């Protein structure tokens, strides 16, 4: 515990420095977010008055007695939740949240059976899970994405290799086994690729990142990748394949295995880059190669905003946005709408409402540190309705 | 031993033992007061003493207590079988021949086959897990047996008492190191060292022919069968060495000295006198160690790479054992709303239980055979 708490500030300052360095990029990203937020709020304000919407301020009623909440799940959301937890505890010292990075599968199962108050997941609930745990909600908390990392000696971290779903599917099926394969070279004219065996790395725990990545493979190459997406999938057998636990484990495994390919959540970009891993420009549905940035994330998410149902359950993989990055998702808080005590319910409502508040947890000061994007106003309204059901 | 004999004789009394225990417990002081041998003046204290030391009740309580291990074992088995029934019906016998671990599509509607609810595409096979469990334990035994027995021989026969005491102390400390600590050390230090500096000595020079191919190939990042075997060996060595040391101390000195007096070298004396004397005990200790290796969970989960559903390609590739699979997959399995994934883990646990039981029974048979045929002293002289 002490290591985590002492680790967060240094991590944060490191991230800050990094973003200060990449100033233009983040400023652009933030402006894009703010612009989209402004435009959508002005356009959607009439709808919020017509439909009975729930205001965030009505939900952000902090309990006055001491409450401690538990959160487990997604290692992708974990760094952000830590930042949130720290701020919440500073503002409301009677509310403590313990957080744990355990993988989305654990987040879903722990929240479903009531082991923890809040489960974090990159994957939305399946109909079976909803049926098995009546009253379970997946509440969008922020927009996140996933980068495809590689450790290829000779390719500098700043020159991003171009990859597409078909090539990645063949790598993870073992049909493309070397970095100098003509199919990779065809996507990267002018780049000298080494004669090096590719080591595909996948998660050993039940992971929302696996869900996102396998969704991308099956959406972008439906004929080449026939395995149904899931948090635990049956990976094809590939010689030399490596497994890792958690996003942190993926970074470490990829660092230790030159030639690796790994799918890693955007909140680990600083760690991954620090470990010498490069990340790829991925081909989207429009055929453009996009880097994982806040701007390309919000472009992608904007294409799905109007079609998001009231349950918040939607896949935002491989959308049709021209400049969108193809692996983008909502980070979900998985919460049972029936809680054991009204104080706990009140605390959960306040925490989640604050988390999605553009002046609270969804403010750029938090999201920029992990590369996430704030929820558009329409999604914020969907989330607040879901939060208001917690009692 | 005597307790065991009592149990087998009074087996049929068990059903009556439980009610009479509760009855006796309730009326404890009463029969005590009426019992002439109780000694009236002693009062309630004497009645209390009678209650547990008395002729009638003590053995009955003891009988129930001695049956507890059996009852617990049966309950565990029954619960596992009950939980595993859907998986046993769905997976069939193919479970033992397939190399696949597929939860199926958890986002699609749940289907029913043979009356078992399951996600479409769910398919499980335990072959690599069973092979991984037996393989890693076998590597551990091959490494630990000579090292453990050799250590004990040197400690008892060769070292001065003070040094021997020191090494014995270290062995006991090593036996007490929590497996998670050994696992972490294996993950951070031993695994990378083995794969980068030791296995590389031969991995690329082994000929590419059917059996030897298993010892060939890229040595990976430190997680794999070899590392797991070495880690497990480290956990077994203290068990074998400490037991063997205690056994060796009981070998009559006169016999060993006699062998040496006949002109035998130390090695010959050890081979013909000392080792046969302790053989059945060493086999027993080894099987104790094997039992530990088969069921070891967390250390293996840390250094195996937990690769479920893929065949084991080489000595260096990531793999998984039954125990490591259960601990790493349980959380994910609960996301399968049909319950098949959890049932399959219960079936795996059942398989592990059966393997461990077989190893234990095998050890008993082996000990009995060796103990009855081997002459304790002077074999081959």
């Amino acid at each position: 515990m002490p290591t985590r708490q002492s680790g967060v500030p240094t991590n944060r300052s490191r991230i800050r420095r990094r973003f200060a360095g990449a100033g233009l990029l983040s400023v652009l990203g933030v402006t894009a977010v703010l612009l989209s937020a402004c435009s959508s709020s002005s356009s959607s304000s009439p709808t919020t008055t017509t439909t009975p919407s729930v205001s965030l301020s009505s939900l952000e009623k902090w309990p006055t007695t001491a409450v401690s909440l538990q959160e487990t799940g997604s290692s992708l959301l974990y760094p952000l939740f830590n930042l949130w937890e720290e701020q919440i505890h500073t503002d409301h010292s009677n509310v403590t949240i313990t957080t744990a990075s355990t993988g989305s599968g654990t987040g879903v199962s722990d929240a479903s059976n009531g082991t923890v108050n809040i489960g974090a997941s990159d994957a939305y609930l399946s109909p079976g899970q909803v049926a098995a745990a009546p009253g379970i909600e997946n509440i969008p908390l922020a927009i996140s994405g996933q980068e495809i990392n590689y450790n290829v000696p000779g390719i500098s971290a700043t020159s991003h290799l171009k990859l597409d779903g078909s090539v990645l599917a063949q790598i993870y099926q073992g049909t493309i086994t070397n970095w100098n394969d003509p199919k990779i070279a065809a996507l990267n004219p002018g780049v000298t690729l080494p004669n090096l065996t590719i080591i595909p790395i996948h998660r050993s725990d039940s992971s929302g990142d696996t869900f996102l990545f396998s969704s991308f493979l099956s959406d972008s190459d439906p004929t080449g990748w026939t395995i149904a997406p899931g948090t635990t999938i049956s990976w094809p057998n590939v010689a030399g394949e490596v497994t890792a636990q958690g996003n942190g484990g993926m970074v470490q495994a990829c660092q230790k295995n030159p030639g690796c390919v790994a799918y890693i959540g955007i909140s680990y970009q600083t760690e991954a880059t620090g470990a010498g891993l490069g990340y790829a420009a991925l081909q989207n549905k429009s055929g453009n190669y996009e880097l994982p940035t806040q701007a390309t994330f919000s472009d992608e998410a904007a294409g799905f905003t109007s079609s998001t149902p009231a349950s918040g359950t939607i896949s935002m993989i491989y959308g049709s946005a021209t400049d969108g990055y193809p692996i983008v998702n909502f980070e979900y808080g998985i919460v049972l709408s029936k809680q054991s005590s009204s104080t706990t319910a009140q605390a959960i409502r306040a925490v989640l409402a604050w988390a999605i508040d553009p002046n609270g947890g969804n403010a750029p000061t938090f999201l920029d540190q992990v590369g996430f994007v704030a929820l558009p106003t329409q999604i914020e309204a969907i989330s607040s309705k879901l939060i208001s059901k917690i009692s | 031993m005597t307790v065991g004999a009592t149990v087998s004789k009074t087996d049929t009394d068990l059903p009556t033992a439980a009610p009479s225990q509760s009855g006796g417990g309730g009326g404890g002081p009463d029969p005590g007061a009426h019992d002439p041998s109780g000694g009236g003046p002693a009062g309630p204290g004497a009645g209390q003493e009678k209650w547990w030391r008395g002729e009638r009740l003590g053995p009955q309580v003891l009988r129930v207590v001695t049956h507890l291990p059996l009852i617990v074992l049966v309950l565990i088995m029954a619960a596992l079988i009950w939980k595993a029934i859907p998986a046993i019906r769905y997976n069939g016998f193919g479970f033992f021949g397939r190399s696949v671990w597929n939860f199926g599509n958890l986002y699609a509607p749940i289907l029913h086959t043979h009356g078992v609810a399951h996600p479409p595409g769910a398919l499980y096979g335990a072959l690599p897990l069973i092979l991984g469990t037996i393989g890693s334990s076998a590597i551990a035994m091959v490494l630990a047996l000579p090292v453990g027995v050799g250590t004990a021989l040197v400690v008892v026969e060769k070292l001065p008492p003070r040094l021997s005491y020191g090494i014995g102390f270290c062995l006991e400390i090593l036996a007490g190191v929590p497996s998670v600590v050994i696992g972490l050390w294996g993950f951070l230090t031993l695994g990378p060292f083995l794969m980068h500096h030791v296995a590389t000595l031969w991995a690329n020079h082994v000929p590419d022919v059917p059996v030897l191919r298993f010892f060939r190939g890229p040595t990976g990042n430190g997680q794999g069968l070899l590392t797991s075997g070495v880690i497990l060996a480290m956990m077994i060595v203290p068990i074998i060495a400490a037991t063997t040391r205690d056994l060796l101390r009981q070998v009559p000195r006169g016999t060993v000295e006699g062998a040496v007096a006949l002109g035998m070298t130390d090695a010959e004396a050890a081979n013909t006198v000392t080792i046969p004397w302790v053989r059945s005990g060493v086999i027993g200790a080894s099987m104790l160690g094997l039992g530990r290796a088969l069921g070891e969970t967390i250390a293996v989960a840390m250094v195996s790479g937990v690769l479920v559903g893929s065949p084991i390609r080489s000595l260096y590739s990531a793999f998984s054992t039954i125990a490591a699979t259960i601990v790493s997959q349980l959380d994910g399995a609960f996301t399968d709303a049909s319950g098949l994934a959890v049932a399959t883990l219960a079936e795996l646990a059942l398989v592990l239980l059966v393997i461990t039981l077989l190893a234990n029974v095998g050890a008993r048979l082996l000990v009995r055979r060796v103990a009855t045929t081997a002459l304790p002293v002077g074999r081959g002289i």
Side-chain angles (χ1 to χ4, degrees):
Chain A
M1 275 298 137
T3 50
R4 180 175 63 72
Q5 281 173 347
S6 62
V8 166
T10 54
N11 199 22
R12 179 193 282 191
S13 55
R14 202 171 74 221
I15 300 174
R16 272 208 185 118
R17 253 180 277 127
R18 189 191 136 67
F19 270 94
L24 183 61
L25 200 68
S26 62
V27 166
L28 278 177
V30 174
T31 346
V33 176
L34 290 176
L35 281 175
S36 66
C38 290
S39 62
S40 52
S41 65
S42 57
S43 65
S44 69
S45 47
T47 53
T48 46
T49 49
T50 51
T51 56
S53 153
V54 185
S55 76
L56 287 177
S57 52
S58 70
L59 295 168
E60 284 184 59
K61 296 226 163 48
W62 295 90
T64 46
T65 52
V67 182
S68 78
L69 302 176
Q70 287 93 41
E71 182 267 348
T72 60
S74 163
S75 62
L76 174 53
L77 186 58
Y78 176 72
L80 178 61
F81 222 102
N82 263 340
L83 300 176
W84 284 349
E85 177 265 326
E86 204 180 326
Q87 186 65 46
I88 289 171
H89 193 64
T90 311
D91 296 347
H92 310 276
S93 57
N94 59 324
V95 179
T96 46
I97 309 175
T98 54
T99 58
S101 155
T102 57
S104 296
T106 308
V108 170
S109 50
D110 281 0
S112 302
N113 60 30
T115 313
V116 299
N117 308 105
I118 304 170
S121 176
D122 324 322
Y124 47 83
L125 295 165
S126 72
Q129 287 161 354
V130 175
I136 194 90
E137 310 277 0
N138 46 204
I139 304 167
L141 298 179
I143 292 168
S144 148
Q146 180 180 75
E147 54 182 28
I148 305 301
N149 288 91
Y150 50 80
N151 177 357
V152 184
I155 308 288
S156 80
T158 48
S159 64
H160 304 284
L161 286 180
K162 290 176 179 166
L163 295 175
D164 62 18
S166 162
V167 162
L168 283 169
Q170 290 174 68
I171 288 175
Y172 274 85
Q173 277 165 330
T175 44
I176 293 180
T177 58
N178 198 302
W179 280 107
N180 64 12
D181 191 283
K183 283 176 187 146
I184 303 178
L187 301 182
N188 295 282
V191 179
T192 317
L193 291 157
N195 174 14
L196 180 67
T197 306
I198 303 179
I199 299 174
I201 307 184
H202 60 79
R203 291 277 289 268
S204 62
D205 51 341
S206 174
S207 160
D209 290 286
T210 301
F211 175 71
L212 301 178
F213 184 62
S214 54
S215 298
F216 170 67
L217 294 182
S218 56
D219 287 355
S220 61
D221 189 8
T223 51
W225 185 267
T226 52
I227 299 165
T231 49
T232 307
I233 67 165
S234 171
W235 293 98
N237 299 330
V238 177
E241 69 190 304
V242 166
T243 66
Q245 193 173 357
N247 273 311
M250 293 290 269
V251 172
Q252 199 222 14
C254 201
Q255 186 182 17
K256 283 204 287 185
N257 289 283
C260 69
V261 179
Y263 52 91
I264 298 175
I266 191 69
S267 53
Y268 287 75
Q269 192 178 46
T270 318
E271 283 84 349
T273 310
L277 310 181
Y279 55 92
L282 272 192
Q283 192 187 43
N284 65 16
K285 205 172 191 172
S286 316
N288 297 325
Y289 289 91
E290 299 294 342
L291 287 172
T293 64
Q294 289 174 313
T296 56
F297 287 175
S298 57
D299 277 355
E300 175 84 359
F304 289 97
T305 304
S306 56
S307 51
T308 305
S311 65
T313 302
I314 190 169
S315 166
M316 299 195 289
I317 304 291
Y318 208 55
S320 46
T322 325
D323 298 320
Y325 184 77
I327 312 183
V328 168
N329 67 297
F330 285 130
E331 286 301 307
Y332 290 102
I334 311 288
V335 181
L336 280 174
S337 51
K338 283 268 176 297
Q339 289 291 326
S340 55
S341 84
S342 56
T343 321
T344 311
Q346 188 192 358
I348 297 173
R349 283 198 303 268
V351 165
L352 295 181
W354 178 85
I356 61 166
D357 192 331
N359 301 315
N362 252 332
T365 44
F366 296 105
L367 299 186
D368 288 358
Q369 296 186 50
V370 290
F372 286 9
V373 175
L375 294 177
T377 318
Q378 292 98 316
I379 308 297
E380 188 192 298
I382 289 174
S383 291
S384 18
K385 258 194 191 161
L386 291 170
I387 293 171
S388 69
K389 288 185 190 170
I390 302 168
S391 58
Chain B
M1 260 307 154
T2 46
V3 167
T6 324
V7 167
S8 57
K9 262 185 245 159
T10 56
D11 240 341
T12 48
D13 297 346
L14 179 63
T16 56
S20 64
Q21 179 215 358
S22 56
D30 214 30
H34 290 286
D35 201 322
S37 67
Q48 206 64 20
E49 188 179 320
K50 277 244 95 41
W51 181 81
W52 58 272
R53 210 180 260 178
E55 295 279 305
R56 284 167 299 174
L57 231 141
Q60 285 167 352
V61 172
L62 207 64
R63 230 173 280 149
V64 176
V65 171
T66 46
H67 278 78
L68 264 182
L70 182 70
I71 296 168
V72 169
L73 187 65
V74 168
L75 284 180
I76 292 177
M77 284 285 260
L80 279 181
I81 292 173
W82 174 249
K83 283 283 174 196
I85 283 174
I88 295 170
R89 287 172 62 189
Y90 182 78
N91 295 326
F93 282 110
F95 187 60
F96 301 99
R98 284 190 291 260
S99 300
V100 58
W101 195 263
N102 190 350
F103 279 15
N105 185 353
L106 301 185
Y107 284 84
I110 290 169
L111 303 179
H112 292 264
T113 308
H114 312 307
V116 179
H118 66 92
L123 191 63
Y124 297 96
L127 182 63
L129 308 177
I130 295 171
L131 291 180
T133 305
I134 295 173
S136 57
S137 296
I139 294 174
M141 290 305 288
V142 165
L143 295 175
L145 195 55
V147 173
V149 174
T151 309
L153 266 177
V154 171
V155 163
V156 172
E157 306 278 341
K158 285 284 165 205
L159 295 184
R162 184 166 293 192
L163 192 56
S164 146
Y165 175 80
I167 292 187
F169 185 71
C170 290
L171 276 179
E172 269 143 39
I173 296 274
L174 190 59
V177 175
S179 54
V180 67
V181 174
I182 298 188
L184 190 63
W185 174 69
F187 176 75
L188 294 175
T189 314
L190 179 75
F193 174 77
L194 272 181
M195 297 308 193
H196 294 152
H197 300 289
V198 181
T200 41
L201 296 177
W202 66 77
N204 292 321
H205 309 298
V206 176
D208 195 6
V209 293
V211 177
L212 292 178
R213 190 175 292 147
F214 191 69
F215 299 91
R216 188 184 161 82
T219 56
N221 66 337
Q223 292 180 305
L225 190 53
L226 181 64
T227 313
S228 302
V230 173
I231 286 285
L232 288 175
M234 294 195 47
M235 297 182 182
I236 306 177
V237 162
I239 298 176
I240 297 179
T243 316
T244 311
R245 183 196 55 184
D246 295 344
L247 291 167
L248 286 175
R249 289 210 171 120
Q250 291 165 23
V251 177
R253 294 312 302 165
T255 322
V256 181
E257 279 162 17
V260 175
L262 285 173
M264 289 189 184
T265 63
D266 285 341
E268 285 168 339
N271 267 330
T272 54
V273 179
T274 323
I275 303 250
W277 185 283
V278 300
R279 183 171 291 152
S280 65
V282 171
I283 290 175
S286 309
M287 289 303 151
L288 209 64
L290 180 63
R292 164 124 201 233
L294 287 171
E296 174 52 44
T297 306
I298 195 65
V300 177
M302 291 162 96
V303 298
S304 65
V306 200
L307 185 63
V308 296
S310 288
I312 302 171
R313 286 164 196 284
S314 79
L315 190 59
Y316 323 104
S317 65
F319 78 111
S320 188
T321 65
I322 295 177
T325 303
I326 292 174
V327 73
S328 70
Q329 298 293 308
L330 185 59
D331 276 327
F334 276 110
T335 60
D336 179 356
S338 73
L340 180 67
V342 176
T344 302
L345 292 182
E347 187 180 3
L348 263 190
L350 212 54
V351 172
L352 181 60
L353 199 58
V354 169
I355 292 178
T356 322
L357 284 180
L358 285 180
N360 266 314
V361 171
R364 262 152 220 274
L365 292 178
L366 203 60
V367 168
R368 193 172 297 169
R369 201 175 63 85
V370 172
T372 49
T373 57
L375 290 169
V377 197
R379 201 169 176 231
I381 299 176

